Amino acid sequence: MEQAVNTLFGMHILNEAADRFSLTKGSYKKLGDFENYVYEVEREGQSYVMRFTHSSHRSELDVLAELDWISYLVQVGVDIPQVYTSRLGKMTEVIHAGDSYFTASLFQKAEGHMPDYANPAEWNEHLFASWGEITGRMHKATQSYTPSIHHKRMTWEDDELLVNAKSYVLPGDEYVLERLNEVMTHLHSLPQGQDVYGLIHTDIHSRNFFVDNGRISVFDFDDCAYNWFIHDIAIPLYYALSWGVPERYAGNREAFAADFVQAFWSGYEKVMPLSRQWLQELSTFLKLRDITLYLVIHKKEDLQLATPRLIQWVNDIKERIRQNIAIVEIDFDLCRFDSSAG
């Protein structure tokens, strides 16, 4: 979190939110603070998740638009944590901090745990297929979604990181802007029909869902935006590769990527029809994620204080951007797709 925002946040904000949402004061367990402040809290002995979003990151209307979509997905039967209201029956409560404010919102706490990518009993094709299926269910539902408030979530190109990219690119790294322009030019050429484009999560990696007895529960919809459905397939693949190729692949990233996509797609296409031709666009969205991560890291992190692991990660990202290559290029001949579908 930026230092200017850190100075505004404190126990007084937490306690004010506790009053408005009837929470047990002092029952605050910090879960994260990268783009939002996230806490596990209690109400009448039950655990919930409270999120505080600073107005420099999202307006209250942006948050309301996110919560409206989550509520719709829950209403139509998508298995995700629901949103709870305050004492006044509001999904959001604005807590002022100087000339800015925090938007507080309360969520059901997902059951289970983050999947262990080092454990083959958890990190396997069964998980990848379930991951694909819940993603497909969200995409299928979003095709019939109409916002119930007079404010829509942003589109992919409204992302502040892309709009202000020049501000986050270091001297000597101007090639990042060149690559971004190339990617955006290509994306602008893609169709945006309701069958391929809509409001999606945009960040369904394995740190944004829990697994409980095989059931996946997706959370953290803060980055939801109007984007192509294939984006929500590229992001799981990108982070699955980033966590590391399982030992059984002996470092063969391409083989693991092919198996991951095949398993993910098998779950996805069970519930959501999308032409398999869209898989050819994975490379573009993988490149975009490298660029986006470069931008967000240089916006949020002081790399002079970074760990060697983070520095190596950033250097790998920069080198791929410089060479104009994706984190992986998939040989789709290695994917064992169902010949009756797609």
Side-chain angles (χ1 to χ4, degrees):
M1 187 67 67
E2 295 92 332
Q3 186 56 39
V5 178
N6 264 328
T7 60
L8 297 172
F9 189 81
M11 192 60 65
H12 62 295
I13 302 291
L14 285 162
N15 287 335
E16 180 64 26
D19 286 337
R20 299 193 192 188
F21 284 89
S22 301
L23 306 177
T24 303
K25 285 190 176 179
S27 65
Y28 316 134
K29 178 183 177 182
K30 192 175 184 179
L31 302 177
D33 63 358
F34 186 61
E35 290 187 318
N36 300 281
Y37 295 97
V38 183
Y39 285 80
E40 182 176 333
V41 296
E42 288 186 9
R43 184 165 72 182
E44 298 180 351
Q46 183 72 34
S47 292
Y48 298 85
V49 172
M50 171 68 73
R51 189 185 70 194
F52 298 88
T53 304
H54 190 252
S55 51
S56 63
H57 178 59
R58 304 267 186 253
S59 69
E60 184 194 13
L61 283 175
D62 290 333
V63 176
L64 276 170
E66 170 202 350
L67 303 186
D68 183 74
W69 185 50
I70 292 174
S71 299
Y72 174 80
L73 293 178
V74 171
Q75 177 187 335
V76 298
V78 180
D79 191 9
I80 59 173
Q82 63 181 302
V83 181
Y84 294 99
T85 57
S86 67
R87 288 188 296 106
L88 297 179
K90 299 165 61 179
M91 288 196 297
T92 58
E93 287 284 350
V94 169
I95 302 173
H96 290 279
D99 294 331
S100 62
Y101 62 88
F102 290 93
T103 301
S105 45
L106 187 67
F107 301 88
Q108 178 183 5
K109 185 177 183 292
E111 296 181 354
H113 62 278
M114 290 180 181
D116 181 0
Y117 62 86
N119 180 1
E122 285 191 359
W123 194 252
N124 53 39
E125 284 76 8
H126 177 74
L127 173 70
F128 306 154
S130 298
W131 197 344
E133 183 173 347
I134 187 63
T135 302
R137 291 191 184 282
M138 292 167 60
H139 292 178
K140 185 67 175 177
T142 203
Q143 289 181 300
S144 57
Y145 170 66
T146 301
S148 65
I149 65 172
H150 298 296
H151 184 79
K152 294 180 66 175
R153 287 290 295 189
M154 65 182 180
T155 67
W156 65 276
E157 59 188 332
D158 294 328
D159 187 338
E160 185 273 335
L161 291 170
L162 303 184
V163 172
N164 297 315
K166 290 182 180 179
S167 302
Y168 310 126
V169 172
L170 299 182
D173 289 351
E174 288 79 11
Y175 59 86
V176 174
L177 296 174
E178 295 175 14
R179 299 292 181 252
L180 175 58
N181 182 62
E182 293 167 3
V183 167
M184 292 188 72
T185 297
H186 177 72
L187 293 179
H188 281 129
S189 73
L190 298 178
Q192 294 187 8
Q194 193 175 9
D195 56 333
V196 299
Y197 182 95
L199 184 55
I200 64 171
H201 185 285
T202 80
D203 204 26
I204 312 179
H205 57 70
S206 61
R207 295 299 178 264
N208 279 340
F209 66 79
F210 280 175
V211 178
D212 183 45
N213 294 320
R215 167 180 165 262
I216 286 180
S217 184
V218 178
F219 47 81
D220 192 359
F221 286 69
D222 174 60
D223 288 330
C224 68
Y226 287 87
N227 205 324
W228 289 271
F229 296 150
I230 193 63
H231 181 279
D232 266 355
I233 299 174
I235 296 308
L237 172 61
Y238 181 96
Y239 285 102
L241 292 165
S242 296
W243 304 146
V245 176
E247 289 185 4
R248 64 186 181 275
Y249 288 91
N252 190 334
R253 175 176 284 186
E254 290 74 19
F256 171 59
D259 284 351
F260 180 93
V261 170
Q262 185 274 326
F264 192 99
W265 187 263
S266 71
Y268 184 87
E269 68 178 352
K270 278 172 42 178
V271 293
M272 175 63 189
L274 183 66
S275 170
R276 197 173 297 155
Q277 292 300 314
W278 279 95
L279 292 175
Q280 302 297 328
E281 296 294 339
L282 283 174
S283 180
T284 297
F285 286 95
L286 294 174
K287 290 178 181 179
L288 180 61
R289 178 50 45 141
D290 267 341
I291 295 169
T292 302
L293 283 174
Y294 172 98
L295 298 174
V296 74
I297 289 170
H298 286 87
K299 175 183 178 181
K300 297 279 187 179
E301 300 287 344
D302 182 351
L303 292 181
Q304 292 184 335
L305 304 176
T307 64
R309 180 182 176 86
L310 177 57
I311 291 173
Q312 182 61 55
W313 195 40
V314 172
N315 287 338
D316 289 344
I317 288 171
K318 289 175 63 174
E319 185 60 19
R320 287 196 297 269
I321 298 173
R322 189 185 66 79
Q323 294 188 36
N324 196 21
I325 58 175
I327 192 172
V328 72
E329 293 294 342
I330 299 175
D331 181 354
F332 290 104
D333 290 338
L334 298 177
C335 297
R336 302 177 302 279
F337 290 121
D338 180 358
S339 60
S340 66

